[in-house]
């Protein structure tokens, strides 16, 4: 199981490290290894959230996620994206941006750093919308019940998450963006840039998530039509296969996954410049890390880890919220990548530990005569 899931990741690691040695010697080897570890540590929460979405998709789309999805992640976000950002922000052609990336690495790093406010605003708002929609949704299982219960009640107000996100964007634009960090330690006013990029992030989320939700509802209708057949299968003692997404529903969920991955990768791409400004080594290191994140996503799905450790998804979404805030703060202040990675790791580790405790309580309750109210409290977490 382990080799089947992570086999391609192991192969890509070997090829990437060999290519790093040929390209940059043993120094290049070390840089690529460090970048790989950096990407994995920063993106573990991404894998948990992806797994929650991927488990709804059939085997075909899971393979697409591991093949075409990897190409998009490695070549799109880790190689093409930094070049596109430089081309747009510096108002130069893509060919000139590639030339700078290969021949004038210092200038290239400067342009990417100067484009950071727009990147942080777009990614931060997209991730913030994911977090807000999660905590405002009424769900049976609650991790931090004292917080999630009142927030779920507030979530009944239409468009609340959008209103809060736009308020956060306005506050960020009037505070962090007025003194945005730029290359060389200087600061400048990027209010207009941050507002436009942030609104674009919210719009992107609404479009992609809206389409995904629409086709997911279509899938639920199909599930209802197949309900009678499932009941008959249960009566006959046969295993009832889970209905998974296919067709248009799976396509838009796949699109949602790719946009989500893109937003998660912003901090990794920007943070990589603290280690190297060589675009080739950066693509190799972050690409290896991205491959492991995808393999880990599939592993979580196939092992049913999210079903066994029910609060993992909660912890990952809280990590998303923290990352969104961190991205917005970095418009003005530099925050070390270690801090960003540790926040996500701590939240996920906490949710994992809470899941283990919950499983122990449920196991202990099975041997007791537990009343309905008491059993509901055991099942709903803190």
């Amino acid at each position: 199981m382990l080799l089947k899931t992570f086999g391609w990741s192991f192969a890509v690691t070997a090829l990437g490290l060999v290519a790093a040695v040929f390209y940059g010697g043993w120094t290049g080897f070390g840089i690529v290894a460090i970048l790989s570890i950096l990407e994995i540590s920063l993106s573990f929460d991404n894998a948990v959230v992806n797994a929650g979405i991927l488990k709804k998709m059939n085997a075909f789309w899971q393979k697409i996620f591991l093949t075409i999805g990897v190409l998009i992640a490695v070549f799109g976000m880790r190689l093409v994206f930094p070049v596109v950002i430089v081309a747009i922000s510096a108002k130069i052609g893509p060919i000139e941006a590639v030339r700078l990336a290969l021949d004038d690495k210092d200038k290239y790093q400067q342009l990417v750093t100067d484009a950071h406010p727009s990147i942080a605003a777009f990614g931060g708002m997209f991730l913030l919308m994911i977090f807000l929609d999660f905590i405002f949704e009424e769900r049976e299982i609650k991790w931090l019940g004292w917080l999630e219960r009142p927030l779920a009640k507030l979530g009944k107000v239409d468009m609340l998450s959008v209103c809060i996100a736009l308020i956060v964007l306005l506050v960020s634009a009037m505070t962090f963006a007025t003194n945005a960090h730029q290359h060389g330690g200087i600061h400048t006013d990027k209010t207009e840039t941050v507002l436009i990029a942030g609104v674009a992030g919210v719009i992107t989320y609404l479009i992609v998530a809206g389409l995904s939700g629409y086709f997911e509802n279509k899938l639920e209708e199909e599930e209802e039509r197949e309900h009678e057949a499932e009941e008959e299968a249960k009566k006959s003692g046969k295993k009832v296969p889970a209905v998974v997404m296919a067709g248009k529903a799976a396509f838009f969920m796949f699109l949602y996954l790719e946009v989500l991955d893109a937003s998660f990768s912003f901090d990794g791409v920007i943070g990589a410049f603290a280690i190297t400004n060589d675009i080739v080594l950066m693509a190799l290191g972050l690409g290896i890390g991205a491959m492991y994140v995808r393999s880990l996503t599939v592993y979580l799905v196939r092992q049913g880890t999210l079903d066994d450790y029910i609060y993992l998804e909660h912890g990952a979404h809280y990590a998303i919220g923290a990352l969104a805030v961190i991205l917005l703060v970095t418009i003005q202040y530099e925050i070390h990548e270690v801090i960003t990675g540790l926040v996500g790791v701590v939240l996920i580790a906490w949710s994992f530990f809470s899941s283990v405790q919950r499983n122990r309580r449920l196991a202990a309750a099975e041997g007791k005569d537990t009343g309905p109210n008491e059993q509901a409290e055991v099942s709903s977490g803190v």
Side-chain angles (χ1 to χ4, degrees), residues 243-308:
V243 178
V244 293
M245 290 188 180
K248 292 181 179 179
F251 171 76
F252 281 103
M253 290 301 287
F254 172 76
L255 179 62
Y256 177 74
L257 276 175
E258 292 307 314
V259 178
L260 179 63
D261 176 76
S263 298
F264 268 105
S265 67
F266 289 152
D267 61 327
V269 172
I270 299 302
F273 281 100
I275 299 172
T276 181
N277 54 9
D278 190 308
I279 188 66
V280 176
L281 295 179
M282 190 183 300
L284 287 173
L286 296 181
I288 291 173
M291 189 69 195
Y292 276 99
V293 171
R294 270 162 166 65
S295 295
L296 180 60
T297 298
V298 174
Y299 180 80
L300 292 174
V301 172
R302 293 175 179 172
Q303 291 293 102
T305 304
L306 296 184
D307 296 328
D308 295 334

